[in-house]
Amino acid sequence: QWGLLFHASYDVLRYDLTSTYFESEPTENGDGLRRFGYSRDKRSDCVQVVIALIVTPEGFPVAYEVMPGNTSDKTTLPTFLGRIEKQYGKRNRLWLMDRGIPTEEALQQMRTEGASYLVGTPRGRLSKLEDQLLTQPWRQVQDQIEVKLACDGDDHYVLTRSGGRRDHEKAM
């Protein structure tokens, strides 16, 4: 119960994946986790493992798993949702994740079960909200961060504009 010791909260959880590669060959008999797969490090010549991690907003790890290097990001979410609910209970939890992790089916399951999530949306999907977004003014929520809100049925979209990010990209 180290979460209680550090006053960690499980109401908001960040789910992310990464990989790490090995400059070695996969095992001859094919067992083990080192496999060729999508390389975030642009090292398709190397075997790797995929690492899934769930952390609290304070940065405390809640769960992790090391998976075969050829694991697809989109296949990992349902298992972890179940593990966390089993360990910490089913509650009104907000999940934060990158857009490449959930499938539309996984998001639909989360909605059906009453889970909340914040996930990046592909720009193409925002085109159907373009009229709604163009008519709204930007609202400043923090220094150099502005947002616009749009709704499509029960789904809510937050369009974010960051002055710091803009400056960083201009410098690049």
Side-chain angles (χ1 to χ4, degrees):
Q1 298 297 2
W2 56 268
L4 297 174
L5 178 65
F6 294 107
H7 305 290
S9 166
Y10 304 106
D11 295 334
V12 177
L13 294 177
R14 168 91 167 112
Y15 179 69
D16 204 2
L17 296 159
T18 191
S19 59
T20 188
Y21 66 91
F22 302 88
E23 294 185 9
S24 65
E25 294 297 318
T27 57
E28 286 184 28
N29 58 5
D31 64 353
L33 300 176
R34 292 178 295 152
R35 307 262 169 80
F36 290 102
Y38 168 72
S39 175
R40 292 163 178 83
D41 300 307
K42 310 292 187 245
R43 291 300 307 262
S44 58
D45 61 320
C46 295
V47 291
Q48 66 179 12
V49 294
V50 173
I51 304 164
L53 179 65
I54 296 176
V55 297
T56 66
E58 300 85 12
F60 292 112
V62 172
Y64 76 94
E65 186 170 341
V66 180
M67 297 172 280
N70 60 352
T71 301
S72 169
D73 292 359
K74 294 180 181 298
T75 64
T76 63
L77 184 61
T79 302
F80 271 91
L81 292 176
R83 278 180 60 186
I84 295 304
E85 284 185 4
K86 184 176 179 183
Q87 187 169 355
Y88 298 102
K90 190 171 184 132
R91 57 199 299 177
N92 188 17
R93 181 173 286 120
L94 175 64
W95 288 92
L96 307 174
M97 61 194 110
D98 294 334
R99 71 174 157 244
I101 293 174
T103 61
E104 187 54 45
E105 293 78 24
L107 293 176
Q108 181 59 44
Q109 179 182 350
M110 291 176 78
R111 287 190 291 269
T112 300
E113 295 175 359
S116 298
Y117 56 86
L118 182 60
V119 61
T121 301
R123 290 183 188 204
R125 179 176 268 171
L126 292 177
S127 63
K128 69 179 183 178
L129 303 169
E130 186 173 8
D131 291 339
Q132 198 179 143
L133 291 168
L134 286 174
T135 60
Q136 291 186 35
W138 288 98
R139 293 186 227 166
Q140 187 156 355
V141 293
Q142 287 184 4
D143 185 38
Q144 293 198 39
I145 298 178
E146 299 173 304
V147 299
K148 289 185 178 189
L149 303 176
C151 294
D152 182 26
D154 290 336
D155 293 331
H156 301 279
Y157 295 84
V158 181
L159 183 61
T160 306
R161 181 166 74 177
S162 166
R165 179 71 181 178
R166 181 193 61 233
D167 296 344
H168 174 74
E169 289 179 2
K170 277 184 180 178
M172 289 177 25

